[in-house]
């Protein structure tokens, strides 16, 4: 579970990315170990894609140190890219080619023989359950199918590390589950997964370890369970009062739990025993429209660390 | 006659105009600079060779080559501009930006959409012809009042191409044929239109090809407008021929648009 | 000793971007384009035959009897013999330039390059690959043109065979130029300017009338890249080898080289931020 047995395949020290005056990544330190699934969890603009592009050796590091397989992307970009599989945030499939040819041509960029490319392409289309669409053009495919084609394409070169930038953003729940299942199998086959997401459920499902990123900085690091344990009481009581009255009810429930957060649409009360907290709320004669007790999630960790929610 | 003044068609036309406003500045520069380069390069450059050549007086009816060539450009330019404006943009309206579908979803009928498109093509034909006419007005040897009717002829020539091509573009499922239309239809018409030399230079059978193409009629009318010398009968034949292409194209376009837009 | 070991990198190091020095796979770009265009290739080739055919026949029939023979390097040649190699050069230029305009779409909407650059391919591969592809495209048009010229009797001798490599050079130079221009295009509207910028070059490169017609402005011709192609092909078609053809060859190669370097810088800047 802790994954400490793997050797480090990616290490970053004080990794920084600047665009003009704007610092998108502000000196982050992290380490990804062989065979694990490592995540960057953070809202839009946190600097996740910037980090991924530096790891993918397509965006120069501004300062700090970054090593992938022990290599410096500034000197050995080509060698690094030869061993990576990349699923960018936007599918960049070739609309002029069929699904299968997208994979075949991509394999050719890695100097894989044509015949091997053809076989591998069909094998991977089976894997992502799209073999029946092999000869279709890309354009008519659904978002989830395109995402699977992109993943299949990234696997053409048998990469040691797979970089997935928001693999399921914009997909419907069913398509997400299909994808998670495929990614889980890849991990079991020993592929190191590095992914970014702003979905806490995705991070919990897929990641052995993750860093919480916000505004270019890393706020915390650990396994999902560790992070929740360290940064949030076990349970959360969610209270909804009539629209616009949250702020006026907040003082009434003050101190019911270990901590509380007042959001525009609800009040969150953190407590180890949520039901007990709810009884206390009733005892104080606050009357929420609805009340719900649930377990703490990474969303709560993020709120705790940054004072903001992951998804607006 | 054509019912073009109905407000819905004008709204379709306005839509095109608004799009055009983003690029009008570059378009105006282009529609003056290109003819200017052509009259200098072909009219003066090649003209120098022809005028020094053995048969200039006999073949050019007493005109200099510059005078001979320049007015024809009003017709050929309008043709080129409107060929471009009626193939891909029409396809785009059905396929890429789907403008025609959103217009048809409002209370504008397919026929009115075609009317608006035709109005727009007429506008573009006029604009490009004015550009050439302005250039010709710069040179004393081509500066006559005849440039004014020639502008109208240019626009008519353009529409004689735009209407049938609009039909074609709206009818076809793919744009694969479009480059070939340019290569195998428009380019030969341009080269054998009588713009560069009188078609009497050509073998008889090729002269008949020239006579079939609308652009030759436009070229003859433009030259006639600027220097005179056309009989009333000639004028009527040329104008009717151009109107026939525009009219038949327009009627067919209405049908194809109606089929495609589902009314 | 310390100082000696720390010698400065050669001057060219800053000029030639690393991605170009690291280019190993430009042929993969060709492969991708071949996959995309193989189905439409027949039409491209057919168009390549007919367009020059129409132009040459029209010139021959229309102007043949109107224009006296023209002097080229001390020889008198018929007008169509004079114009044909110039049109060949223009066709080599157009074929290559129009192909490279696709570069804009590959950079922006299609994201063709972004996905290539995530692999061991470099920006240099992309630039070289696309320049070679456009050169091949222009070369095919040139070959078709040359066949038409030969069939219509507008090649003067077996020296005409030299026109093929020479027009490939013209395509190569303009493929580079086109690529560089395409990297500066911001939106589709900008495309309007490209043919307009090419038109004066097409008309005023001693294409349709001899350099002597330019009188005391003849030297200006040297600034037209196309003129170097026209003059080169015209001389070779007549089996003439004046020393100036060396200049033309050098100018065309230099144009290609500089454009390629510039394009690699531009592509890196645009895609590897
Ligand atoms: N090429 C760029 N030029 C300028 N700013 C950029 C560029 N790419 C990203 N940024 C900025 O950097 C910040 C982080 O972006 P990004 O790494 O894409 O975040 P994320 O992937 O976490 O949403 C954002 O504020 C974004 O606007
Ligand atoms: Mg992102």
């Amino acid at each position: 579970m802790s994954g400490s047995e793997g050797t480090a395949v990616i290490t970053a020290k004080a990794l920084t990315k600047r665009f003009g005056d704007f610092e998108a990544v502000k000196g982050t330190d992290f380490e990804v170990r062989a065979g694990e699934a490592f995540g960057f969890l953070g809202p839009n603009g946190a600097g996740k894609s910037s980090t991924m592009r530096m790891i993918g050796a397509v965006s120069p590091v501004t300062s700090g140190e970054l090593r992938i397989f022990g290599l410096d992307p500034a000197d050995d970009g080509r060698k690094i890219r030869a061993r990576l599989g990349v699923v960018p945030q936007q599918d960049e499939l070739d609309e002029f080619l069929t699904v299968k040819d997208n994979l075949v041509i991509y394999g050719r960029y890695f100097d894989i023989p044509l015949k091997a490319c053809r076989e591998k392409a069909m094998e991977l289309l089976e894997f992502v359950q799209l073999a029946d669409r092999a000869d279709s053009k890309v354009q008519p495919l659904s978002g989830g199918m395109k995402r699977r084609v992109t993943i299949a394409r990234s696997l053409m070169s048998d990469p040691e590390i797979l970089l997935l930038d928001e693999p399921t953003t914009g997909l419907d729940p069913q398509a997400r589950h299909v994808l998670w299942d495929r990614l889980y199998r890849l991990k079991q086959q020993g592929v190191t997964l590095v992914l970014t997401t702003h979905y806490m459920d995705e991070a919990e499902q897929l990641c052995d370890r993750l860093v919480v990123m916000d505004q270019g900085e890393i706020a915390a690091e650990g396994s999902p369970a560790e992070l929740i344990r360290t940064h949030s009481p076990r349970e959360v009581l969610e209270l909804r009062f009539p629209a616009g009255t949250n702020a006026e009810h907040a003082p009434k429930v003050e101190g019911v739990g270990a901590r509380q957060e007042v959001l525009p649409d609800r009040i969150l009360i953190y407590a180890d025993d949520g039901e007990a907290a709810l009884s206390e709320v009733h005892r104080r004669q606050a009357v929420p429209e609805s009340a719900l007790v649930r377990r703490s999630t990474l969303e709560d960790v993020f709120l705790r660390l940054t004072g903001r929610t992951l998804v607006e | 006659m054509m019912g073009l003044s109905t407000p819905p068609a004008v709204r379709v036309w306005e839509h095109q105009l608004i799009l055009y406003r983003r690029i009008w500045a570059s378009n105006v520069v282009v529609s003056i600079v290109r003819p200017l380069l052509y009259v200098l390069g072909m009219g003066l450059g090649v003209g120098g060779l022809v005028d020094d050549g053995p048969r200039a007086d006999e073949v050019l009816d007493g005109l200099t080559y510059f005078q001979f060539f320049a007015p024809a450009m009003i017709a050929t330019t309008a043709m080129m501009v409107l060929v471009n404006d009626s193939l891909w943009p029409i396809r785009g309206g059905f396929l890429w930006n789907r403008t025609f579908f959103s217009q048809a979803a409002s209370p504008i009928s397919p026929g009115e959409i075609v009317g608006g498109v035709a109005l727009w093509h007429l506008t573009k034909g006029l604009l490009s012809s004015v550009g050439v006419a302005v250039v010709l007005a710069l040179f004393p040897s081509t500066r006559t009042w005849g440039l004014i009717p020639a502008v109208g002829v240019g626009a008519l020539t353009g529409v004689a191409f735009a209407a049938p091509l609009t039909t074609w573009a709206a009818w076809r499922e793919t744009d694969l044929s479009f480059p070939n239309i340019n290569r195998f239809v428009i380019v030969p018409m341009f080269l054998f239109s009588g713009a560069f030399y009188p078609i009497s230079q050509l073998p008889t059978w090729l002269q008949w090809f020239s006579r079939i193409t609308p652009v030759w009629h436009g070229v003859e009318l433009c030259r006639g407008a600027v220097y005179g010398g056309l009989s009333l009968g000639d004028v009527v034949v040329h104008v009717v021929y151009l109107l026939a292409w525009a009219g038949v194209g327009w009627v067919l376009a209405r049908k194809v648009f109606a089929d495609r837009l589902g009314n | 000793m310390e100082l000696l070991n720390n010698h400065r990198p050669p001057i060219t190091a800053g000029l030639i971007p690393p991605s170009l020095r690291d280019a190993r796979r430009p042929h993969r770009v060709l492969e991708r384009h071949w996959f995309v265009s193989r189905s439409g290739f027949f039409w491209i080739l057919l168009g390549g035959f007919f367009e020059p055919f129409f132009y040459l026949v029209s010139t021959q029939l229309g102007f043949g009897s109107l224009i006296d023979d023209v002097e080229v390097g001390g020889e008198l040649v018929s007008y169509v013999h004079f114009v044909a190699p110039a049109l060949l050069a223009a066709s080599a230029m157009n074929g290559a330039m129009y192909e490279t305009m696709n570069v804009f779409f590959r950079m922006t909407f299609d994201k063709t390059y972004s996905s290539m650059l995530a692999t061991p391919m470099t920006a240099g591969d992309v630039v070289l690959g696309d320049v070679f592809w456009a050169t091949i495209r222009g070369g095919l048009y040139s070959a078709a043109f040359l066949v038409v010229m030969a069939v219509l009797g507008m090649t003067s001798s077996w020296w005409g065979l030299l026109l093929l490599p020479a027009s490939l050079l013209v395509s190569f130079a303009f493929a580079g130029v086109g690529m560089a221009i395409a990297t500066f295009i911001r939106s589709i509207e900008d495309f309007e300017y490209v043919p307009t910028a090419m038109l004066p070059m097409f008309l005023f490169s001693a294409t349709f009338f001899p350099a002597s017609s330019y009188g005391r402005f003849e030297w200006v011709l040297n600034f037209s890249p196309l003129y170097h192609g026209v003059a080169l092909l015209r001389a070779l078609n007549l089996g003439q080898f004046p020393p100036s053809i060396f200049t033309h060859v050098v100018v065309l190669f230099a144009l290609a080289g500089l454009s390629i370097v510039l394009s690699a810088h531009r592509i890196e800047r645009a895609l590897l931020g």
Side-chain angles (χ1 to χ4, degrees), chain A residues 26-289:
Chain A
K26 300 172 180 158
T28 55
D29 299 282
F30 58 87
E31 188 177 281
V32 179
R33 297 163 201 157
E36 74 175 341
F38 186 88
F40 293 89
L41 175 69
N44 269 334
K48 304 183 299 293
S49 294
S50 304
T51 304
M52 291 294 255
R53 286 171 50 78
M54 286 190 282
I55 298 174
V58 290
S59 168
V61 171
T62 308
S63 69
E65 191 185 277
L66 179 65
R67 294 288 177 272
I68 301 114
F69 309 116
L71 301 171
D72 183 344
D75 303 326
D76 291 308
R78 253 185 320 156
K79 282 189 197 140
I80 292 169
R81 293 195 299 271
R83 296 166 67 183
L84 295 178
V86 178
V87 177
Q89 186 167 349
Q90 304 290 333
D91 292 312
E92 291 165 351
L93 295 169
D94 202 321
E95 304 256 335
F96 295 95
L97 295 173
T98 62
V99 167
K100 183 180 171 193
D101 284 348
N102 257 282
L103 272 58
V104 170
I105 282 296
Y106 201 75
R108 297 295 284 154
Y109 298 155
F110 291 84
D111 294 337
I112 301 168
L114 193 57
K115 190 159 165 289
C117 281
R118 293 218 166 96
E119 285 161 11
K120 183 89 186 169
M122 281 321 292
E123 196 182 297
L124 286 168
L125 287 176
E126 296 280 354
F127 174 69
V128 297
Q129 296 165 316
L130 282 172
D132 54 326
R133 307 303 292 266
D135 296 321
S136 154
K137 287 268 181 208
V138 169
Q139 205 244 332
L141 299 188
S142 72
M145 289 177 177
K146 284 186 188 162
R147 215 62 188 136
R148 268 140 67 198
V149 177
T150 305
I151 290 177
R153 191 181 71 166
S154 72
L155 295 170
M156 280 299 290
S157 56
D158 284 321
E160 294 159 58
I161 302 178
L162 187 57
L163 304 178
L164 301 133
D165 197 353
E166 306 206 8
T168 66
T169 299
L171 302 190
D172 61 61
Q174 197 178 345
R176 297 178 73 197
H177 282 283
V178 173
L179 260 170
W180 285 348
D181 171 59
R182 297 296 117 172
L183 294 178
Y184 187 70
R185 288 183 197 212
L186 284 173
K187 187 166 110 64
Q188 286 194 314
Q189 290 166 19
V191 181
T192 307
L193 300 182
V194 179
L195 61 102
T196 75
T197 183
H198 57 240
Y199 296 122
M200 50 100 188
D201 52 343
E202 183 159 82
E204 282 182 15
Q205 283 271 339
L206 291 176
C207 298
D208 299 320
R209 276 189 328 120
L210 57 95
V211 291
V212 176
M213 235 185 141
D214 186 44
Q215 298 182 335
E217 296 180 68
I218 290 180
E221 183 196 327
S223 71
E226 272 167 20
L227 283 167
I228 294 169
R229 200 170 341 113
T230 324
H231 297 284
S232 189
R234 208 166 60 91
E235 290 188 322
V236 188
L237 170 61
E238 290 199 6
L239 301 177
R240 284 172 205 271
F241 290 98
T245 63
N246 281 330
E248 89 191 42
H249 285 94
K252 233 189 231 177
V253 296
E254 183 81 57
V256 168
R259 196 164 61 81
Q260 76 177 31
E261 294 280 353
V262 184
L263 303 182
D265 59 336
R266 64 216 142 114
I267 296 176
L268 304 182
I269 293 174
Y270 292 92
D272 282 327
D273 185 342
E275 291 297 338
L278 182 55
S279 312
E280 173 66 14
V281 168
H282 286 315
R283 204 189 57 75
R284 294 190 187 183
Q285 295 180 342
V287 193
E289 282 188 330

Side-chain angles (χ1 to χ4, degrees), chain C:
Chain C
M1 279 318 279
E2 190 64 43
L3 272 174
L4 277 180
N5 280 337
N6 261 332
H7 65 269
R8 288 196 302 166
I11 291 173
T12 50
L15 181 66
I16 299 182
S19 70
L20 209 50
R21 271 182 280 129
D22 281 353
R24 300 286 182 281
R25 298 174 173 79
H27 51 291
R28 298 289 176 229
V29 180
L30 301 185
E31 208 172 325
R32 182 264 170 191
H33 294 342
W34 169 246
F35 261 60
V36 169
S37 62
R38 57 190 166 184
S39 55
F41 230 68
F42 171 75
W43 285 105
I44 294 172
L45 274 184
L46 200 67
F49 279 106
F50 277 91
E51 205 156 309
F53 179 77
F54 291 137
Y55 270 91
L56 292 176
V57 166
S58 173
T59 309
Q60 169 88 298
L61 294 175
F63 290 113
S65 69
L66 287 182
I67 297 179
D68 284 325
D69 287 355
V70 182
E71 194 217 286
V72 178
E75 252 177 276
L76 278 180
V77 296
S78 75
Y79 184 63
V80 70
H81 268 82
F82 172 79
V83 170
L87 285 178
L88 170 57
S91 145
M93 166 178 87
N94 284 332
M97 284 275 273
Y98 283 120
E99 175 59 31
T100 53
M101 291 305 116
N102 288 323
V103 166
F104 167 74
F105 295 95
R106 293 184 192 134
M107 275 175 74
T108 53
F109 305 116
D110 300 342
K111 306 276 179 204
T112 318
Y113 295 155
S114 313
S115 55
M116 285 182 183
L117 294 177
T119 73
M121 309 267 289
T122 70
D125 288 315
V126 163
V127 171
L128 288 177
D130 263 353
V131 168
F132 291 155
W133 176 255
T135 306
I136 292 171
R137 198 65 197 260
L140 283 175
Y141 285 124
S142 305
F145 200 114
L146 207 50
V147 170
V148 174
M149 267 174 77
V151 168
L152 295 176
M154 292 168 191
T155 43
S156 299
S157 68
W158 285 104
W159 289 117
L161 283 178
L162 281 179
L163 294 187
L164 189 59
S167 49
L168 267 177
L169 173 58
V170 175
S171 289
F172 182 49
F174 282 99
V177 172
M179 175 103 203
I181 289 174
T183 64
F184 283 94
I185 285 177
R186 295 155 304 177
S187 69
I188 295 180
E189 278 90 52
D190 283 353
F191 279 109
E192 182 103 11
Y193 293 107
V194 176
T196 306
M198 285 166 72
L199 185 62
M201 201 163 55
F202 175 61
L203 290 170
F204 302 101
S205 293
T207 335
F208 297 103
F209 41 100
S212 56
S213 310
Y214 295 79
R216 63 198 168 86
F217 292 109
E218 202 180 317
W219 55 273
V220 176
L221 282 173
N222 286 300
F223 291 98
S224 158
L226 179 60
Y227 168 69
H228 295 279
V230 168
L232 174 65
L233 296 191
R234 192 170 275 152
L236 291 181
N237 189 35
L238 296 171
Q240 298 175 350
F241 299 94
S244 59
I245 66 171
F246 178 72
T247 318
H248 302 318
V249 169
V250 169
V251 166
L252 292 171
F253 268 115
L255 209 55
L258 290 176
S259 308
I260 286 171
V261 169
L262 176 62
S263 307
H265 276 295
R266 295 281 307 171
I267 298 250
E268 275 185 31
R269 228 182 69 166
L271 298 176
L272 303 174

